[in-house]
Structures are given as C-alpha cells and as structure tokens.
Amino acid sequence: MRRLVMWDIDYTLLRGGGVAARSWKAAFTEVTGLAWRDTPIFGGRTDLDICAEVFAVHGVTDCTPERFFTRYVEIVEQVRHEFAEQGSLMPGVEEVLRRLGDDPAVVQTLVTGNVPAVARAKVAAFRLDHVFDAEVGGYGTDDSVRATLVRRSLERAEAKYGERFLPVVIGDTVNDVTAALANGAVAVAVATGSTTTADLVAAGAHTVLPDLSDPDLAIAALMASTPAGT
C-alpha cells in the first residue's frame, strides 16, 4: 500500500511572513466596510471556521464567506511575491520533500486550513508547487472541521489513483494531530509553531520532532506504520 503524506503549510512547511493575515484583514475591511477589531487564533484552523468567528465577533450578517474569500484571494495574488520576501522555509523541508518525491511509494499533497488559491500561492512562492498533487488535497473551503479535510483528501487520492493509501498527516498543531487520529492516519508533529512538544505528545501524535532539520529522522517518522492498537 502506498503512502499519502498530507502536509500542513503554515509553520510546518514555511513561514509566510504575515502576508496572508494582512491580506485577510484588508479584504475583510473592503467587503464589510468595518474596521478590524479582533484577531482570532489562526493556527490549525480552517478558513471557513475562522471566517465564521470573525463575522460573529464583528457582527457581520450581510456578507457570505464566498464573497469574502473572492476578495481575499485577489489581494493575496497581488502581493504573493511577499511570501518569499518576508517569509522563509522551515529547516530541512526541501531535503525531506525531495527524498519523499523520489520514492514511488509516496504521494505528497496538502491538507491545510488555507483556501486552495492561497495554499497554491504560498508553496509556489518557494517553488514547491511541483512537489504536491494539489488536486487531491484538503483545503479550508472543504469544511470547518479539520478532520474532514483529511478525509476529503484521502477520498480524492483513492478516487484519482484507484487504490487505497496509508494516510500520514504532518503538522504543527493539536488540530493537525487530532484530525489525523480521527481518520486513522499516522500523526507526525513538528514543534515549529506555537504549540509545545508536550501538548503535541498529549494530543496523541505518534512522533513529535523539534523540526525537520534531521532528514533521516523525519523520513523515518513519515514512513513508519501506525502503532498497533491506535
């Protein structure tokens, strides 16, 4: 059985330098006419989930997520060069992606809370877009619940390739871990964001790494089988 490795983007693959957050705020003000008052926690959440919270906090009742996302994507496209200028790849990412990409037993994709166009812009800014089969990914417009993104990605991959996959999720938040476990996936966590190693372990991650700077260790974790009984 081949392995479907589902990558989170933010603080797992890269840091975006705040470009998406600034674009989000600008789009919100444009489409609603309201001043931005409160910034929610973005990490590990889907854009649909975040949008619902932002609209509720600001009392927005006359705007749809679809209308907001349209303008948000337009602004991101205008400033997409800033991802590489103001952000950076996380340690070891390029080597791990290259080695997995050379393995015919692995398909790599994205499972991210970002809407599809923003996900593409982020990885393309670092010339990583060719690595992933984005067509079978899970995105922030699929559902508000992160676990559903993992399920959708697995369903898409199995439909496209006509085979079953062993799912592997790698991310930096508790939500990434719990979404993996809800789908019977191997959960690999990296403590490269704001979530501590202890919290990632407590959430049930099968492996927690400080980062991906040791490619051999990272590959071993991503290619490990789910422990018996999990």
Side-chain angles (χ1 to χ4, degrees), residues 14 17 28-29 42 47 50 65 67 70-71 77-78 83 85 96 116 120-121 133 137 149 151 155 171 183 204 216 229:
L14 57 88
F28 175 83
T29 298
F42 282 82
D47 277 356
I50 297 166
R67 180 182 163 208
T70 295
R71 184 57 187 142
E77 291 293 344
Q78 293 168 5
F83 285 119
E85 294 172 357
V96 173
R120 287 194 298 270
D133 184 347
L149 276 55
R151 177 170 58 81
E155 290 171 347
N183 287 277
D216 290 335

Side-chain angles (χ1 to χ4, degrees), residues 72-89:
Y72 169 52
V73 168
E74 289 173 347
I75 293 174
V76 168
E77 291 293 344
Q78 293 168 5
V79 299
R80 59 187 301 162
H81 60 280
E82 294 180 3
F83 285 119
E85 294 172 357
Q86 301 178 25
S88 62
L89 285 177

Side-chain angles (χ1 to χ4, degrees), residues 27 63 70 90 97 111 113 115-117 136-137 141 147 161 167 172 179 200 206 210-211:
C63 183
T70 295
M90 304 304 287
L97 291 177
V111 169
V115 301
V136 302
T141 46
Y161 291 95
D172 68 291
L200 293 168
H206 298 125
D211 56 31

Side-chain angles (χ1 to χ4, degrees), residues 10-196:
D10 297 294
Y11 293 95
T12 300
L13 288 171
L14 57 88
R15 290 187 177 93
V19 177
R22 291 192 297 272
S23 300
W24 183 289
K25 294 175 185 178
F28 175 83
T29 298
E30 285 190 29
V31 299
T32 67
L34 299 173
W36 183 271
R37 295 201 310 266
D38 189 40
T39 299
I41 295 173
F42 282 82
R45 300 174 65 187
T46 71
D47 277 356
L48 271 177
D49 182 32
I50 297 166
C51 189
E53 178 182 333
V54 169
F55 281 13
V57 166
H58 290 83
V60 176
T61 58
D62 58 350
C63 183
T64 64
E66 292 76 16
R67 180 182 163 208
F68 165 73
F69 289 143
T70 295
R71 184 57 187 142
Y72 169 52
V73 168
E74 289 173 347
I75 293 174
V76 168
E77 291 293 344
Q78 293 168 5
V79 299
R80 59 187 301 162
H81 60 280
E82 294 180 3
F83 285 119
E85 294 172 357
Q86 301 178 25
S88 62
L89 285 177
M90 304 304 287
V93 162
E94 288 182 295
E95 176 68 9
V96 173
L97 291 177
R98 183 191 63 77
R99 288 173 56 175
L100 288 177
D102 290 339
D103 189 339
V106 174
V107 172
Q108 298 187 85
T109 191
L110 301 168
V111 169
T112 170
N114 290 283
V115 301
V118 173
R120 287 194 298 270
K122 287 182 177 181
V123 296
F126 294 92
R127 300 180 180 177
L128 298 178
D129 44 320
H130 68 285
V131 172
F132 307 104
D133 184 347
E135 188 175 81
V136 302
Y139 301 98
T141 46
D142 283 330
D143 199 85
S144 295
V145 179
R146 185 96 186 190
T148 305
L149 276 55
V150 175
R151 177 170 58 81
R152 294 277 173 82
S153 178
L154 186 58
E155 290 171 347
R156 287 165 179 154
E158 292 182 343
K160 177 176 178 177
Y161 291 95
E163 61 186 278
R164 294 187 62 198
F165 285 90
L166 193 160
V168 180
V169 172
I170 176 166
D172 68 291
T173 71
V174 166
N175 285 344
D176 295 301
V177 174
T178 57
L181 299 179
N183 287 277
V186 175
V188 178
V190 284
T192 46
S194 59
T195 308
T196 66

